[in-house]
Amino acid sequence: VLETLGNLGTGFAVALSPGVLFYGFLGCLVGTLVGVLPGVGPLAGISLLLPATFGLDATRAIVMLAGIYYGAMYGGSTTSILMRIPGEAASVMTCVDGYAMARKGRAGPALSIAAVGSYVAGTASVVGLMLLAPPLATFALRFGPPEYLALLLLGLLVLAYMSSGPMLKSLAMAALGLLLGMVGIDQMSGYFRYAYGLVELGDGIGVVPVAVGLFGLGEILATAGRKTPPEVIRPRVRDLLPSRREWRESGWPIARGTVLGFFIGIIPGSAHIIASFVSYAIEKKFSRRPEEFGRGAVAGVAGPESANNAATSGAFVPMLALGVPSGPVPAVLIAAMMVHGVAPGPLLIQQQPELFWGFIASMYVGNLVLLVLNLPLVGLFVNVLRVPYPILYPTIVLFCLLGVYAVNNSVVEVWIMVVMGALGYVLRKLDLETAPIVLGVVLAPMIEVSFRQSLATSAGSYAIFVERPIAVTLLAAGFVFLLLGLRPLLTRGLDWRARMALAAKGEKT
Amino acid sequence: MRRLTAAVLWLLTLPLVSAAWAQEPFPTRPITLVAPFPPGGVADLTARPVAAAMEKTLKSPVGVVNKTGAAGAVGMQSVATARPDGYTLLLALSSISIIPEADKLFGRPPAFTVDQFEPLALISADPTILVVRAESPWKTAKEFIEDARKRPGQISYSSSGVYGTLHMAIELLSHAAGIKLRHVPHQGAGPALTAILGGHVDALASGPAVVLPHIKSGKLRPLAGWGDKRVAALPEVPTFKELGYPEAEFYIWAGVFAPRGTPDAVLAKLRDTLAAAVNDPDFKAAMGKLQTPVVFKQGAEFKRFFDADARRLAEGVRRVGKIETK
């Protein structure tokens, strides 16, 4: 422990030196902006700025790029809450209840809770990163294709069990998402599937244009289609801060979201987005008032927002401890280290203690900076809601188009977003949920690839899923959720889900 | 009437004006170097120092644009169909000869063909090396190959993707040594490395720089390399050529290409620029940090290298054939 404290002292000396502090701050600031801009996520932001860091030294470059990564998680909630546009993919769940809170005039509290939750999650998971990185990373490496598949299936079953409203509608939407996720090059054989000769569809349908289209454009089109425009919300100053009740209801969701996000984050793969989905589902289950979810439950903002932030710190665990990329963003960070002649690998912590501990310390500082940066901005951001719709909405559409185009310089992705916007509008009219589509698009390729990789590893034997301890444990847990989900069918009793559906019906008539 | 005549005359002179403009010194505006892979990948990390060094010689901006998608096909296609004026260049990797061959195999219209490009220069060539986990029973490449012969399809390896560079490296070895290994494709070189470190596969062909830290820390053991010379950082590791498998020669190389039809004068200027660029001290320092050896070839020499490489890879793709998955 003393040694850790000593090392941390060295780290803070590095992190608080003016140069590193400046670039860390810059990274956090850029990250917040990147998160706020619809479409442009942390990966695009880091990729765009990677060349700009080639002139810096390794520590400054890494501190700045990491700042963009976790800074984006703070910024991502802003547009989700205010306009129902996911600033980046991990904020999709925040759109649901965050936006509902904003419609009730509680935009300020939602933003504050998101910022505080992100701060708590960010700081707590850096503690985990600092104390447990090497053993956790070794554990994370044991997640091969079968374990990964089991984890994804477990996540899916938890979601299915805990999702609200009519099960059939949710499943239909998830299936649509899974189908969309099938587009692109078959990773195991090289066939183009449903690409219709468009090379640009080779990598499939990206989650960013889908999420921005379904949520953002769909919402805007739906609003434009109403006879009377919705009232412009004028938030009052005293409504900026969360009430005591809102604080109380956020405490546990933040804690659970943090732990969940951190552990999903350390597992190599790009399943980070499911951290926020599963967190949302869990909070709904734990809530005393599950019927509030979807209509502005503060726990539905606190949990997912904490989870996505904790997942980013978790993703650094395998990167720093072993030099293996746990996702696309850590892969770019590893490249950034290599550009500076730092070889990322198991010896990094010993050979580059200043970089490692400076990085850790900079994350403590960075999270604090982001909190200080974001809380006062709440007052500023909520004023966006005062802008009249004829001005606000065209501006948002413009930013969506620019953001989605900027990610890959691809017009095809802009078209995908436009089509998804139209689809989002239709689905809203039909009263269908759009979040399961996004989840399907994300999960389909991952589930398929990990399933087929598992079978490639075992030469086609399905026994691989029950021979490996982690995989079989996760699958067994998933099976339990499946049985629990089927219980209402057997007992014919109405559970809270059915009661909610009934209540919703009663409301409409 | 007079006015009309004047207008017609003016219109007639327009082609002359633009022809004269084409004779102007090159370049008069920024050049775009397309890296068909995302930032942080080999293509991107090579393209940026190349662009910076070209800028110094040309005294004109050279920008790197990442046009990614479909394993590089999107970016390569965009340059193949770009206006051949020297302002759009491509930094390609070995996959430039794999993609058209795979398209042919699947009977789909090719995204582009190799003939659509004018090779300018080879910048770097990094032989792949074969690594296994330190706990594994194989101490030498000979033991590995003998065991693989005894148990066809039992020893597994990860790769960066089907028909990808790391897949092709193993395919060339398998053919040369008459062995059959079990392929578990991953999505990129990073996940492929994670898979072997986690013990989910037995072997991996990889660029040396990526696996060196893991060799040093004792997690991975190098068995042999695909180069015609040994890797400088691993002098004790033999090449497959030395072991009697000369057809197992493979490099992860990076080269600069222009669209075919680019005027000769412009091509000459670009070739001179690239020759100067690889001797730029900043460029050398940048490549040194990446531990990527600079191998510069131009003209007939590059053509020989490129043709031999393309032939081996095309044969490799055809041998692999369409992959039937269970």
Side-chain angles (χ1 to χ4, degrees), chain B residues 10-24:
Chain B
W10 181 76
L11 276 174
L12 284 173
T13 57
L14 269 183
L16 297 176
V17 174
S18 58
W21 183 77
Q23 294 293 311
E24 257 182 51

PDB file of all heavy atoms in Angstrom, chain B residues 10-24:
ATOM      1  N   TRP B  10     -14.120  32.822 -77.314  1.00  0.00           N
ATOM      2  CA  TRP B  10     -13.684  32.708 -75.927  1.00  0.00           C
ATOM      3  C   TRP B  10     -13.869  31.268 -75.438  1.00  0.00           C
ATOM      4  O   TRP B  10     -13.004  30.693 -74.805  1.00  0.00           O
ATOM      5  CB  TRP B  10     -14.492  33.676 -75.062  1.00  0.00           C
ATOM      6  CG  TRP B  10     -14.099  33.638 -73.620  1.00  0.00           C
ATOM      7  CD1 TRP B  10     -12.992  34.183 -73.070  1.00  0.00           C
ATOM      8  CD2 TRP B  10     -14.800  32.997 -72.566  1.00  0.00           C
ATOM      9  NE1 TRP B  10     -12.953  33.923 -71.737  1.00  0.00           N
ATOM     10  CE2 TRP B  10     -14.052  33.202 -71.399  1.00  0.00           C
ATOM     11  CE3 TRP B  10     -16.006  32.264 -72.498  1.00  0.00           C
ATOM     12  CZ2 TRP B  10     -14.465  32.711 -70.156  1.00  0.00           C
ATOM     13  CZ3 TRP B  10     -16.405  31.784 -71.274  1.00  0.00           C
ATOM     14  CH2 TRP B  10     -15.635  32.001 -70.129  1.00  0.00           C
ATOM     15  N   LEU B  11     -15.025  30.710 -75.824  1.00  0.00           N
ATOM     16  CA  LEU B  11     -15.298  29.336 -75.409  1.00  0.00           C
ATOM     17  C   LEU B  11     -14.275  28.377 -76.018  1.00  0.00           C
ATOM     18  O   LEU B  11     -13.827  27.439 -75.374  1.00  0.00           O
ATOM     19  CB  LEU B  11     -16.710  28.917 -75.853  1.00  0.00           C
ATOM     20  CG  LEU B  11     -17.834  29.321 -74.916  1.00  0.00           C
ATOM     21  CD1 LEU B  11     -19.184  28.980 -75.544  1.00  0.00           C
ATOM     22  CD2 LEU B  11     -17.689  28.599 -73.585  1.00  0.00           C
ATOM     23  N   LEU B  12     -13.918  28.661 -77.309  1.00  0.00           N
ATOM     24  CA  LEU B  12     -12.977  27.779 -77.984  1.00  0.00           C
ATOM     25  C   LEU B  12     -11.601  27.809 -77.330  1.00  0.00           C
ATOM     26  O   LEU B  12     -10.870  26.824 -77.343  1.00  0.00           O
ATOM     27  CB  LEU B  12     -12.842  28.170 -79.464  1.00  0.00           C
ATOM     28  CG  LEU B  12     -14.021  27.744 -80.348  1.00  0.00           C
ATOM     29  CD1 LEU B  12     -13.868  28.326 -81.740  1.00  0.00           C
ATOM     30  CD2 LEU B  12     -14.093  26.227 -80.423  1.00  0.00           C
ATOM     31  N   THR B  13     -11.251  28.925 -76.738  1.00  0.00           N
ATOM     32  CA  THR B  13      -9.921  29.016 -76.130  1.00  0.00           C
ATOM     33  C   THR B  13      -9.864  28.293 -74.796  1.00  0.00           C
ATOM     34  O   THR B  13      -8.785  27.994 -74.307  1.00  0.00           O
ATOM     35  CB  THR B  13      -9.505  30.480 -75.897  1.00  0.00           C
ATOM     36  OG1 THR B  13     -10.498  31.091 -75.084  1.00  0.00           O
ATOM     37  CG2 THR B  13      -9.332  31.226 -77.201  1.00  0.00           C
ATOM     38  N   LEU B  14     -11.025  27.991 -74.223  1.00  0.00           N
ATOM     39  CA  LEU B  14     -11.030  27.401 -72.877  1.00  0.00           C
ATOM     40  C   LEU B  14     -10.188  26.131 -72.762  1.00  0.00           C
ATOM     41  O   LEU B  14      -9.392  26.013 -71.843  1.00  0.00           O
ATOM     42  CB  LEU B  14     -12.466  27.116 -72.429  1.00  0.00           C
ATOM     43  CG  LEU B  14     -13.145  28.245 -71.675  1.00  0.00           C
ATOM     44  CD1 LEU B  14     -14.534  27.807 -71.235  1.00  0.00           C
ATOM     45  CD2 LEU B  14     -12.327  28.683 -70.469  1.00  0.00           C
ATOM     46  N   PRO B  15     -10.345  25.168 -73.702  1.00  0.00           N
ATOM     47  CA  PRO B  15      -9.528  23.959 -73.585  1.00  0.00           C
ATOM     48  C   PRO B  15      -8.033  24.277 -73.603  1.00  0.00           C
ATOM     49  O   PRO B  15      -7.252  23.642 -72.896  1.00  0.00           O
ATOM     50  CB  PRO B  15      -9.921  23.137 -74.813  1.00  0.00           C
ATOM     51  CG  PRO B  15     -11.202  23.698 -75.286  1.00  0.00           C
ATOM     52  CD  PRO B  15     -11.255  25.115 -74.827  1.00  0.00           C
ATOM     53  N   LEU B  16      -7.670  25.296 -74.401  1.00  0.00           N
ATOM     54  CA  LEU B  16      -6.255  25.674 -74.470  1.00  0.00           C
ATOM     55  C   LEU B  16      -5.772  26.137 -73.113  1.00  0.00           C
ATOM     56  O   LEU B  16      -4.692  25.777 -72.653  1.00  0.00           O
ATOM     57  CB  LEU B  16      -6.058  26.808 -75.498  1.00  0.00           C
ATOM     58  CG  LEU B  16      -6.406  26.435 -76.943  1.00  0.00           C
ATOM     59  CD1 LEU B  16      -6.270  27.649 -77.846  1.00  0.00           C
ATOM     60  CD2 LEU B  16      -5.494  25.312 -77.401  1.00  0.00           C
ATOM     61  N   VAL B  17      -6.626  26.955 -72.476  1.00  0.00           N
ATOM     62  CA  VAL B  17      -6.244  27.480 -71.166  1.00  0.00           C
ATOM     63  C   VAL B  17      -6.004  26.327 -70.188  1.00  0.00           C
ATOM     64  O   VAL B  17      -4.986  26.273 -69.521  1.00  0.00           O
ATOM     65  CB  VAL B  17      -7.337  28.416 -70.617  1.00  0.00           C
ATOM     66  CG1 VAL B  17      -7.006  28.828 -69.209  1.00  0.00           C
ATOM     67  CG2 VAL B  17      -7.461  29.636 -71.514  1.00  0.00           C
ATOM     68  N   SER B  18      -6.933  25.371 -70.182  1.00  0.00           N
ATOM     69  CA  SER B  18      -6.780  24.306 -69.193  1.00  0.00           C
ATOM     70  C   SER B  18      -5.600  23.403 -69.551  1.00  0.00           C
ATOM     71  O   SER B  18      -4.932  22.872 -68.684  1.00  0.00           O
ATOM     72  CB  SER B  18      -8.074  23.496 -69.075  1.00  0.00           C
ATOM     73  OG  SER B  18      -8.418  22.961 -70.317  1.00  0.00           O
ATOM     74  N   ALA B  19      -5.320  23.253 -70.886  1.00  0.00           N
ATOM     75  CA  ALA B  19      -4.156  22.465 -71.264  1.00  0.00           C
ATOM     76  C   ALA B  19      -2.893  23.139 -70.762  1.00  0.00           C
ATOM     77  O   ALA B  19      -1.982  22.496 -70.234  1.00  0.00           O
ATOM     78  CB  ALA B  19      -4.103  22.307 -72.779  1.00  0.00           C
ATOM     79  N   ALA B  20      -2.867  24.447 -70.896  1.00  0.00           N
ATOM     80  CA  ALA B  20      -1.701  25.181 -70.427  1.00  0.00           C
ATOM     81  C   ALA B  20      -1.564  25.019 -68.916  1.00  0.00           C
ATOM     82  O   ALA B  20      -0.461  24.859 -68.393  1.00  0.00           O
ATOM     83  CB  ALA B  20      -1.839  26.656 -70.786  1.00  0.00           C
ATOM     84  N   TRP B  21      -2.711  24.980 -68.269  1.00  0.00           N
ATOM     85  CA  TRP B  21      -2.716  24.875 -66.811  1.00  0.00           C
ATOM     86  C   TRP B  21      -2.095  23.541 -66.386  1.00  0.00           C
ATOM     87  O   TRP B  21      -1.392  23.437 -65.403  1.00  0.00           O
ATOM     88  CB  TRP B  21      -4.157  24.990 -66.330  1.00  0.00           C
ATOM     89  CG  TRP B  21      -4.302  24.973 -64.858  1.00  0.00           C
ATOM     90  CD1 TRP B  21      -4.056  25.985 -63.987  1.00  0.00           C
ATOM     91  CD2 TRP B  21      -4.742  23.880 -64.066  1.00  0.00           C
ATOM     92  NE1 TRP B  21      -4.305  25.600 -62.716  1.00  0.00           N
ATOM     93  CE2 TRP B  21      -4.729  24.314 -62.724  1.00  0.00           C
ATOM     94  CE3 TRP B  21      -5.146  22.569 -64.356  1.00  0.00           C
ATOM     95  CZ2 TRP B  21      -5.105  23.462 -61.675  1.00  0.00           C
ATOM     96  CZ3 TRP B  21      -5.529  21.751 -63.316  1.00  0.00           C
ATOM     97  CH2 TRP B  21      -5.505  22.198 -61.994  1.00  0.00           C
ATOM     98  N   ALA B  22      -2.371  22.494 -67.201  1.00  0.00           N
ATOM     99  CA  ALA B  22      -1.844  21.170 -66.889  1.00  0.00           C
ATOM    100  C   ALA B  22      -0.323  21.134 -66.983  1.00  0.00           C
ATOM    101  O   ALA B  22       0.323  20.311 -66.359  1.00  0.00           O
ATOM    102  CB  ALA B  22      -2.447  20.131 -67.825  1.00  0.00           C
ATOM    103  N   GLN B  23       0.235  22.026 -67.795  1.00  0.00           N
ATOM    104  CA  GLN B  23       1.690  22.051 -67.941  1.00  0.00           C
ATOM    105  C   GLN B  23       2.365  22.729 -66.752  1.00  0.00           C
ATOM    106  O   GLN B  23       3.579  22.699 -66.626  1.00  0.00           O
ATOM    107  CB  GLN B  23       2.061  22.815 -69.228  1.00  0.00           C
ATOM    108  CG  GLN B  23       1.608  22.120 -70.500  1.00  0.00           C
ATOM    109  CD  GLN B  23       2.347  20.826 -70.723  1.00  0.00           C
ATOM    110  OE1 GLN B  23       3.563  20.798 -70.638  1.00  0.00           O
ATOM    111  NE2 GLN B  23       1.624  19.749 -70.963  1.00  0.00           N
ATOM    112  N   GLU B  24       1.580  23.366 -65.943  1.00  0.00           N
ATOM    113  CA  GLU B  24       2.147  24.119 -64.830  1.00  0.00           C
ATOM    114  C   GLU B  24       2.957  23.229 -63.891  1.00  0.00           C
ATOM    115  O   GLU B  24       2.743  22.024 -63.863  1.00  0.00           O
ATOM    116  CB  GLU B  24       1.009  24.766 -64.030  1.00  0.00           C
ATOM    117  CG  GLU B  24       0.860  26.230 -64.310  1.00  0.00           C
ATOM    118  CD  GLU B  24      -0.235  26.813 -63.467  1.00  0.00           C
ATOM    119  OE1 GLU B  24      -0.210  26.596 -62.253  1.00  0.00           O
ATOM    120  OE2 GLU B  24      -1.134  27.473 -64.040  1.00  0.00           O
TER     121      GLU B  24
END
